[in-house]
């Protein structure tokens, strides 16, 4: 539950930040709708490249790396975006966050499937979906109110820093040696980890 909550909190803050990206690009960077479309397309390219790379490197990186490092680099991508000062830096940050979000999502889905019993997946998924919706509504509302009161870039950076901090806490929890069995690729490996082999 701790891993689930940390991951979802960081992701929901990131999704709330998505609601401000058009305003940020137009107000702070003075970009046109056409350039916004280009940046979104670049994020899509990053996501496709990330998915291909994640698939090709499943034997080279651990589930922990996919889940925790992927999430950390995704939130860093958001922070870079809201710290952008030009089209080029905004596009680069979108490429980065699109690329690493593929790793984070693959890691999360694998972790979820490995650790939530099949007979509980439906109920847990429904409860999780409700929790995600509530958190995203609250985060989006708070971000919107704060950006109306204060500078949009400063508020967005603050929220992105919070998501980075949550990602760091997630990373520290994921790589705890005492919890390695939760990330085993097979039942045999899990048994060896639990027995201390």
């Amino acid at each position: 539950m701790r891993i689930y909550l940390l991951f979802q909190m960081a992701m929901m803050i990131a999704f709330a930040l998505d609601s401000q990206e058009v305003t940020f690009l137009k107000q702070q960077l003075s970009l046109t709708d056409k350039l916004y479309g280009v940046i979104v397309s670049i994020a899509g390219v990053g996501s496709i490249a990330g998915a291909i790379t994640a698939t090709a490197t499943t034997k080279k990186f651990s589930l922990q790396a996919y889940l925790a490092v992927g999430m950390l680099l995704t939130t860093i991508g958001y922070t870079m975006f809201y710290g952008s000062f030009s089209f080029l830096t905004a596009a680069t940050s979108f490429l980065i966050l699109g690329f690493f979000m593929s790793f984070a999502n693959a890691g999360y889905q694998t972790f979820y499937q490995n650790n939530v019993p099949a007979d509980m997946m439906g109920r847990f998924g429904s409860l999780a979906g409700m929790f995600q919706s509530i958190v995203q509504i609250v985060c989006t509302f708070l971000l919107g109110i704060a950006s109306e009161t204060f500078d949009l870039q400063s508020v967005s950076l603050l929220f992105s820093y919070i998501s980075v901090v949550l990602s760091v806490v997630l990373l520290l929890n994921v790589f705890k040696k005492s919890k390695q069995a939760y990330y085993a690729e097979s039942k045999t490996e899990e048994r060896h980890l639990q027995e201390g082999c």
Side-chain angles (χ1 to χ4, degrees), residues 24-136:
F24 175 77
L25 287 170
K26 289 188 173 182
Q27 286 184 3
Q28 301 294 131
L29 303 183
S30 302
L31 297 183
T32 63
D33 289 338
K34 184 177 179 180
L35 287 176
Y36 169 67
V38 171
I39 286 179
V40 171
S41 298
I42 288 170
V45 169
S47 182
I48 292 168
I52 292 168
T53 306
T55 302
T57 58
T58 53
K59 301 295 183 187
K60 295 183 180 177
F61 299 110
S62 66
L63 176 57
Q64 292 101 311
Y66 272 67
L67 177 67
V69 178
M71 191 64 209
L72 177 60
L73 293 172
T74 298
T75 56
I76 288 172
Y78 275 98
T79 305
M80 288 172 60
F81 173 71
Y82 285 103
S84 296
F85 51 84
S86 69
F87 169 78
L88 185 60
T89 54
T92 302
S93 62
F94 258 47
L95 184 67
I96 289 169
L97 74 87
F99 184 86
F100 288 108
M101 191 175 284
S102 296
F103 281 84
N105 285 331
Y108 172 74
Q109 291 299 331
T110 304
F111 175 79
Y112 177 86
Q113 290 168 6
N114 288 350
N115 291 288
V116 177
D119 60 336
M120 289 183 60
M121 276 189 180
R123 284 170 285 172
F124 186 84
S126 297
L127 188 63
M130 184 177 70
F131 171 76
Q132 290 168 358
S133 298
I134 292 169
V135 171
Q136 190 167 357

Side-chain angles (χ1 to χ4, degrees), residues 138-181:
V138 170
C139 288
T140 304
F141 177 75
L142 291 174
L143 180 59
I145 293 294
S147 61
E148 287 293 322
T149 309
F150 305 102
D151 175 64
L152 173 61
Q153 186 171 29
S154 300
V155 170
S156 298
L157 278 171
L158 174 63
F159 271 70
S160 62
Y161 290 149
I162 293 170
S163 69
V164 169
V165 169
L166 288 169
S167 297
V168 170
V169 175
L170 172 68
L171 185 139
L172 294 174
N173 276 273
V174 164
F175 281 98
K176 277 185 178 176
K177 287 188 177 180
S178 61
K179 306 295 182 185
Q180 295 304 298

Side-chain angles (χ1 to χ4, degrees), residues 62-64 111 114-115 174-197:
S62 66
L63 176 57
Q64 292 101 311
F111 175 79
N114 288 350
N115 291 288
V174 164
F175 281 98
K176 277 185 178 176
K177 287 188 177 180
S178 61
K179 306 295 182 185
Q180 295 304 298
Y182 289 105
Y183 308 97
E185 296 296 326
S186 67
K187 293 296 179 186
T188 305
E189 184 183 344
E190 181 179 343
R191 192 169 61 251
H192 285 319
L193 287 167
Q194 287 172 342
E195 293 169 356
C197 297

